[in-house]
Amino acid sequence: MKFKFIEEKFFKILMLIATFSVFIAVASILYTIVSKGWGAMNWDMLTKLPGGGFYIGKEGGLLNAIIGSLYIVGASTVLGLLVSIPTVFYLNVYLNKKSKLAYVSRLAFDILFGIPSIVYGAFGFTIMIYLGLKTSLLGGIIVITLLIIPIFIRSMDEVARELPKDILDASYSLGATRFETVKVVIRQIAPGIATATLLSIGRAIGDAAGVMFTAGYTDSIPTSLSQPAATLPLAVFFQLSSPIEEVQGRAYAAALILTIIVLILSILGRFITNRFSKNKI
C-alpha cells in the first residue's frame, strides 16, 4: 500500500515537471519573439511593401509576406478540405471497418503525415522542373495542399472512427442512403473537422522548406497564380541571416506577426469547435 502511494506521488511529480517544462519552453519562445520583435514593429511593417533598402535596414514593410502567406494557406486549406472530407467519409461510411483497403489507406496517410515538409518541397520542385514551370504561387499552394492533406485525413478519421455505430444503424433503419447518412456524420464530427482545420493551418502557415522550393520569394504581391509569392516564414529566414541588427529585429517582427495570426486562428478554432459541440444532434 505504501509502495503504491509512493509510486502515485512519483508520477504526479513527474507529470508536474513535464507540464512545467513545456510551459517554460513556450514562455521562453514567446518572450524572445515579443522582446526582440516588438521594437521593430510599426504600422509600416503591416501596410507597406519592402522598399529599395529594406534588407539593409531602410524603409518598407512585410505586407508582401503577410498577403502571400494568407493566399497560400487559404487556398491550400480549401483544396485540402475538398479532398480530405470525401476520403474520410469513404473510409468510415462506405468501407467496412475491417477492410484491407481502409487499413492500407490509413497506413499510407500515417507515413505521409510523418514525411518532412522539405521532402514535399523537393518533390514539387522536381515535378516543376520536369514540366518546365517556374516558382509560383500555384506551386506553393499545391505543395502545401499535399503537406496538409494527411493531417486533415488522419485527424478527422480518428474522430469519425469513434462515432457510435448505432448512429449509422439508426440512419439506415430509417431508410436513409449512405449519402444521406454522410450528412448525419458531418454534424457529429464537425468539431473534429474544425480541429483538423486548425492543425493543418498551423502547419501550413509555419512551413518554410516546402514554399522555398516552389513559391519562391518576391517583394511584390502576386496578382496571378504564375507569379512567385513571399511568405512570413521565409521572411524570418532571410532576414534573420542578415548581419545587420535592425534587419534581424524585423525578422523577429515577422515571427511576431506569424505568432499573432496563429493565435487568432487558434481562438477562432476553439470558438467554432465549442459552437459545433453545443449544437450536435
Side-chain angles (χ1 to χ4, degrees):
M1 192 70 180
K2 187 177 180 180
F3 174 76
K4 290 183 178 180
F5 176 78
I6 295 174
E7 183 183 32
E8 181 180 353
K9 287 293 183 181
F10 172 76
F11 281 104
K12 183 178 180 180
I13 293 173
L14 193 63
M15 287 186 289
L16 288 174
I17 292 173
T19 304
F20 185 72
S21 300
V22 172
F23 176 79
I24 290 296
V26 174
S28 299
I29 293 172
L30 292 177
Y31 175 77
T32 301
I33 293 173
V34 174
S35 62
K36 294 187 176 182
W38 187 255
M41 184 68 72
N42 53 55
W43 189 245
D44 287 347
M45 292 291 288
L46 300 174
T47 59
K48 290 187 177 181
L49 297 174
F54 180 73
Y55 299 103
I56 57 173
K58 295 184 179 180
E59 73 285 342
L62 294 167
L63 183 62
N64 61 322
I66 296 172
I67 299 299
S69 292
L70 294 178
Y71 277 169
I72 291 176
V73 171
S76 61
T77 300
V78 173
L79 291 176
L81 284 171
L82 290 176
V83 174
S84 302
I85 291 178
T87 303
V88 171
F89 288 141
Y90 182 73
L91 291 174
N92 291 277
V93 178
Y94 285 83
L95 288 182
N96 189 291
K97 288 190 175 182
K98 296 183 179 180
S99 169
K100 290 184 179 180
L101 177 59
Y103 174 80
V104 173
S105 298
R106 290 187 174 100
L107 178 62
F109 287 124
D110 282 338
I111 295 172
L112 292 172
F113 192 110
I115 293 178
S117 61
I118 194 170
V119 176
Y120 284 96
F123 171 76
F125 184 65
T126 302
I127 299 299
M128 291 171 67
I129 291 177
Y130 178 77
L131 296 176
L133 301 176
K134 297 181 180 180
T135 53
S136 63
L137 177 61
L138 178 61
I141 290 172
I142 292 174
V143 167
I144 296 301
T145 301
L146 294 176
L147 175 68
I148 64 176
I149 281 177
I151 303 175
F152 268 127
I153 293 177
R154 291 305 289 131
S155 300
M156 289 188 288
D157 182 57
E158 288 301 320
V159 177
R161 291 176 72 181
E162 297 299 322
L163 194 66
K165 189 175 181 298
D166 293 343
I167 293 179
L168 300 180
D169 293 338
S171 179
Y172 294 143
S173 66
L174 293 172
T177 63
R178 287 184 175 180
F179 180 74
E180 290 170 333
T181 302
V182 166
K183 300 178 183 178
V184 177
V185 177
I186 287 179
R187 192 64 177 177
Q188 295 297 315
I189 69 169
I193 295 176
T195 302
T197 303
L198 176 62
L199 292 172
S200 299
I201 289 176
R203 176 75 181 275
I205 201 170
D207 179 69
V211 293
M212 181 186 295
F213 289 110
T214 54
Y217 197 85
T218 179
D219 288 343
S220 59
I221 298 174
T223 56
S224 70
L225 292 174
S226 61
Q227 294 180 350
T231 59
L232 284 168
L234 288 183
V236 175
F237 174 75
F238 290 137
Q239 294 181 86
L240 198 58
S241 59
S242 172
I244 303 174
E245 185 176 352
E246 186 175 353
V247 178
Q248 293 179 359
R250 291 175 175 177
Y252 285 104
L256 179 58
I257 294 171
L258 187 61
T259 303
I260 292 173
I261 292 174
V262 172
L263 178 61
I264 293 172
L265 292 172
S266 299
I267 295 173
L268 182 62
R270 291 284 184 180
F271 172 77
I272 294 174
T273 300
N274 292 335
R275 183 179 179 86
F276 277 123
S277 297
K278 291 177 181 178
N279 294 280
K280 286 174 65 177
I281 60 173

